[in-house]
Structures are given as structure tokens and as C-alpha cells.
Amino acid sequence: MKLPFFALALAVTAPLPVVADDASIDLKLFGRHEIEGGLSTCHLAFWQSNRDPETDQYAYLIYMPYDENGMPKRAMIEIGKERIALTESARGDFDPPPQLGYRLYSSADHATHVLVRIEEAVVTGSLQTIGKAQVTVVREDLPPFVAGAKGVIGCPGPSSVSSSEAPPAPAEQPPVASMPSPSATASSYAGPDGLSLGPAVLLTAASEVPAPVRNEIATYTPDQCSEPEMLAYPGQRYALAESFILWEVPCFLGAYQGTSIFAITQDPPGDWATMLSLPNPPALEGENNAQMMNPEVLPSRGLFVTTEVGRTEGDCGVYRVFRLMDAPGETFEFQLMEYREKIACDGVQSEPSSWHLQFSSGE
């Protein structure tokens, strides 16, 4: 079913009732490990634009598999603790061009709607790769939740099945305009490394986090972190200096940003733990924060890269690089090596590692 542009747009432009300031849609990212049966050979998937589902534990905003005949099945999103099934209820093409446009997905009770706006895409065989999209989640009596996205529609390859066994491409997949897809650049940080860590070991349950670590979090970040049961991702750990463990514990996980807290224990854990704080650059006053936003850990180099975007488009924010080092008293600490910032949220996207350098360690 196709609808005109303005009919679909009404889903997000209609006036909304007045709600409490703290009311919002608690949209959650999810990973491929949460998709029942794993990714199907052919599927539709949109993930947060500043994440990569190949490398990030949680990236997806919406996912919909296709059956062996190329017909769409139910899509899924996660809001709070609830996994919601959706079906495609409408489409609308831009005019011009006719290849790009909108897809609307709705729950059976019509309480939840997801509007996907496809703005840039390329097509290769049976795969449509979306370089730029916008995902808007609408629920009654709440402001819409909007996130920048990338995605795929079709059959990503290469596949383990032969071409004769491969399922057909999804039905009604239209051709798309050929447009360049953005390419990411490597981090520009070339300074000294920190203490080398062992590879990340994913925890299977929040109960694996030692009690002293939980006590440190409760003492120094009260009311800031979600309850462990509310976070699908329990955390991970890294071997450190043969007799210690570095614990990465998720604190908050939202639709496009999440925070983690890092703590040290002995190996095996005993009755103590030390939570690590993040030092500010010399010119920035105030208390050090313990929560690392969107952390990227480079274990072999002992580096921790964090990007805190100012809004979903990712066109502004703060980028920092820390290294883990020895500290007095047979403990460890984070050292700030680089601090970059882009203040203007001007719609111009660039790699955070290329933002204006505000501070660099003299080492």
C-alpha cells in the first residue's frame, strides 16, 4: 500500500498532547545476538548511524527478516524491556526521485509506529545499502523519538549457500539512486600507548560482576546507572598485568548513546575494587566523571576512545582519548591524552577524531 508524502508525514508532524518534561520513548539498541535464530539471509535492518553492527555489541534500531520466498515477516524494535512486533503498513515515495522515500511500520494495536525515511542509497545486485536514513518512533502521548540511521534491505553477501539455493530477493524491492556512501577515517591519535590488556571477555550475566565493583558503583554514582536487569548487555572484562582484572560495566544504554564504568579488582576478585575516574583537561573545572560515553576499547594499546555526540545527527560533541597507566599505591588510573570538541551543531558531519583539538598531553 502506498500513500502520498504528506499522509505519512502526518505521523510525526501532528500536534502532540502536553506531557511531563521527563516523559520520553525509552528506545533501546539491540544486537544480532538478540535476534532469534540470528540474521536471516535476506532482511531489512537499520542501525544507529554512528555505530557498526559488525563491531558494536548493540547497534540495531529496527530489524525485519524475509522468508525463503522473499516475503517480509514481522519487524522488531525494543522499547524499555518490551520487544515489539511491527508490520509494514504503508510506503511513500519522494517525488522526485521515485526510488527513495518512506516506510511505515505499525504494531498490531496501533500504539507504536516507526517511520523510516530513506534519503541516500545504492543498489548492488539484490542488496540495497542505505547510507543515510532517519528513523522516527511514535507513541501516543509522547514526543517522537528521532535517530539518524544507516541500513540494508535485501540479501547481504557473500552467502554460504550456492546461488541456486539462495532465497529470492525481497518482494517489491525498488531500484534506488546510486549515491556515494560515506567512508570512515581512522583515529588521528598517534600518541603513546597505555598498559596492554588481554582480549575482551564478554560476561554472560550481570551476576558475574563482583560485589565490590557493584558497591563502588552504588557509592560513587548513586541513581545514575540503570539496574543491571534492565540492561541486556552485562559487560565485559580484560586481564591486566597478570594479577588484576579491568571490568567494563554498562551504566546506561539509550537509543543512540550509552555509558560504561570501569573498575579494577585483583585476579581472582577479592573484597576490594577501585572505580576509575575520567580526568578533565586542565582548563575544564568541575568533578571528574566516572561514566565513559560510547567507549571504544583498544586492548592491545591500552587506549580508550570516547565520543559524546550532542545530538542524534552526530554533527557536534566531544571526543576524548584516554590511556590506562600505573598509579601510586599499586593501583591504576586513566590519563587524558587528547580532547577534541565541535561546538556548532551545524548539520555538517565529520569524523570526531578530526574535530578541533582543545588539549593534547605533552608526553
Side-chain angles (χ1 to χ4, degrees), residues 11-252:
V12 294
T13 58
L16 293 170
V18 176
V19 296
D21 291 340
D22 59 349
S24 62
I25 297 174
D26 188 20
L27 186 65
K28 302 291 187 183
L29 297 177
F30 58 93
R32 61 177 59 190
H33 62 283
E34 297 179 85
I35 298 173
E36 186 175 353
L39 292 177
S40 62
T41 303
C42 299
H43 58 266
L44 172 148
F46 287 88
W47 55 87
Q48 186 175 288
S49 60
N50 64 346
R51 295 205 168 217
D52 184 349
E54 295 296 326
T55 58
D56 291 317
Q57 189 76 16
Y58 294 90
Y60 291 110
L61 294 161
I62 182 172
Y63 167 80
M64 183 179 72
Y66 291 88
D67 65 19
E68 64 273 14
N69 297 315
M71 298 303 295
K73 301 172 76 173
R74 289 192 174 185
M76 64 164 281
I77 62 169
E78 289 189 5
I79 296 179
K81 295 183 178 181
E82 185 181 7
R83 182 170 295 181
I84 300 173
L86 309 167
T87 55
E88 184 176 290
S89 55
R91 289 192 193 183
D93 294 333
F94 291 162
D95 186 18
Q99 297 93 342
L100 308 176
Y102 292 84
R103 292 170 180 245
L104 181 64
Y105 302 87
S106 303
S107 59
D109 60 1
H110 299 289
T112 303
H113 304 278
V114 177
L115 181 65
V116 178
R117 172 189 169 107
I118 301 173
E119 300 179 20
E120 296 178 3
V122 295
V123 62
T124 306
S126 63
L127 178 66
Q128 177 178 335
T129 303
I130 292 91
K132 183 179 181 181
Q134 181 175 284
V135 174
T136 302
V137 182
V138 180
R139 303 195 95 179
E140 186 177 3
D141 298 334
L142 290 174
F145 191 104
V146 182
K150 298 178 182 179
V152 293
I153 303 173
C155 306
S159 173
S160 58
V161 298
S162 67
S163 58
S164 61
E165 297 172 328
E172 298 185 13
Q173 181 179 324
V176 294
S178 178
M179 299 185 183
S181 59
S183 61
T185 59
S187 170
S188 63
Y189 176 76
D193 293 346
L195 299 175
S196 178
L197 304 170
V201 177
L202 184 65
L203 306 182
T204 58
S207 58
E208 294 183 38
V209 178
V213 173
R214 286 288 174 202
N215 292 339
E216 283 282 290
I217 293 174
T219 300
Y220 294 101
T221 59
D223 303 324
Q224 294 180 27
C225 294
S226 302
E227 292 296 325
E229 302 78 31
M230 299 179 64
L231 299 170
Y233 165 53
Q236 49 196 8
R237 58 182 173 85
Y238 308 83
L240 170 63
E242 296 185 352
S243 56
F244 297 93
I245 300 175
L246 175 68
W247 300 85
E248 179 182 353
V249 183
C251 177
F252 171 77

